[in-house]
Amino acid sequence: MSNTAKRLVRRHPDELIVGLVSVSDRASQGTYEDQGIPALRDWLGTALSSPWQSAERLIPDDRATISAVLIELVDQVGCDLVLTTGGTGPARRDVTPEATLAVATREMPGFGEQMRQISLKFVPTAILSRQVAVLRETPDHAALIVNLPGQPKAIKETLEGLRGPQGEVAAPGIFAAVPYCIDLIGGPYIETRPEIVKAFRPKSALRK
């Protein structure tokens, strides 16, 4: 939200700069321990084999604040990817999707559709989830912004996907598509650990 937010310096040409945003009134007030950012940080540390660094924000369920933080992370900090957690349900204080759409240049509806499909395998109330994903583009930079669920277990499931009894992929996680999306918008070349989530790229987009 600061006009003097520090732009992170990419220490390697393929280093991912990712914004991690947890949206919670109680956690931001200190009455509840935030679980969202640690869950995101731990999962990325396990799943990514290429370098990355993060900028983290813990903020209340306030539409103007959420939008301002997303703009800051993309336009000023220089994030290639922003992952938010929390505030995506139907309660009146759940405004993360609206705040995200307000700063978007284009929507990426497939991400939300797949997240709900994964969660529906566990609970019928997954249809109440309103997660969205968007692109925010400026003249010299672009970023993917994805709203994730609020619970650490659901964060892992939607990012990583589900596996069958023999370890086969039963439902692809959304992160399988993130590296190629970042390629297409001009970001760094992200590599993952396939035993966690295998990044998919067409053969023409693979590095030799």
Side-chain angles (χ1 to χ4, degrees):
M1 292 185 294
S2 169
N3 292 327
T4 58
K6 183 179 179 181
R7 191 171 192 88
L8 293 183
V9 177
R10 212 181 295 276
R11 299 165 296 192
H12 182 279
D14 287 325
E15 182 176 51
L16 175 70
I17 298 177
V18 56
L20 306 179
V21 182
S22 186
V23 181
S24 169
D25 282 334
R26 290 187 300 159
S28 66
Q29 293 165 359
T31 59
Y32 174 83
E33 184 178 357
D34 176 55
Q35 298 180 336
I37 289 175
L40 290 170
R41 192 191 308 123
D42 291 348
W43 189 86
L44 289 169
T46 301
L48 293 179
S49 60
S50 52
W52 64 284
Q53 60 174 308
S54 65
E56 302 173 0
R57 303 288 187 270
L58 176 56
I59 57 176
D61 291 278
D62 176 75
R63 182 170 173 171
T65 300
I66 299 166
S67 290
V69 164
L70 297 178
I71 292 171
E72 174 209 359
L73 289 171
V74 177
D75 296 14
Q76 298 179 44
V77 178
C79 292
D80 311 295
L81 171 67
V82 179
L83 302 176
T84 76
T85 175
T88 60
R92 294 196 178 193
R93 291 292 291 172
D94 291 334
V95 293
T96 302
E98 287 74 23
T100 301
L101 291 168
V103 305
T105 51
R106 286 187 285 171
E107 290 187 55
M108 300 291 288
F111 285 96
E113 293 165 4
Q114 181 63 8
M115 282 189 277
R116 282 180 282 277
Q117 285 300 312
I118 291 172
S119 296
L120 275 168
K121 296 183 183 296
F122 299 97
V123 290
T125 51
I127 59 173
L128 303 179
S129 300
R130 301 186 304 112
Q131 293 103 317
V132 301
V134 305
L135 299 180
R136 177 170 173 81
E137 300 154 296
T138 67
D140 60 354
H141 183 61
L144 172 66
I145 304 173
V146 183
N147 299 157
L148 294 170
Q151 297 300 316
K153 180 176 181 290
I155 290 171
K156 182 177 185 293
E157 290 164 350
T158 54
L159 287 171
E160 191 171 314
L162 306 176
R163 295 187 180 272
Q166 305 303 318
E168 73 279 11
V169 176
I174 64 163
F175 205 87
V178 168
Y180 186 48
C181 181
I182 299 296
D183 292 350
L184 292 173
I185 62 174
Y189 191 90
I190 305 168
E191 296 185 279
T192 63
R193 294 185 174 91
E195 67 272 19
I196 304 298
V197 61
K198 185 176 182 180
F200 177 83
R201 289 180 171 94
K203 290 182 179 179
S204 59
L206 292 172
R207 283 191 176 172
K208 304 297 182 184

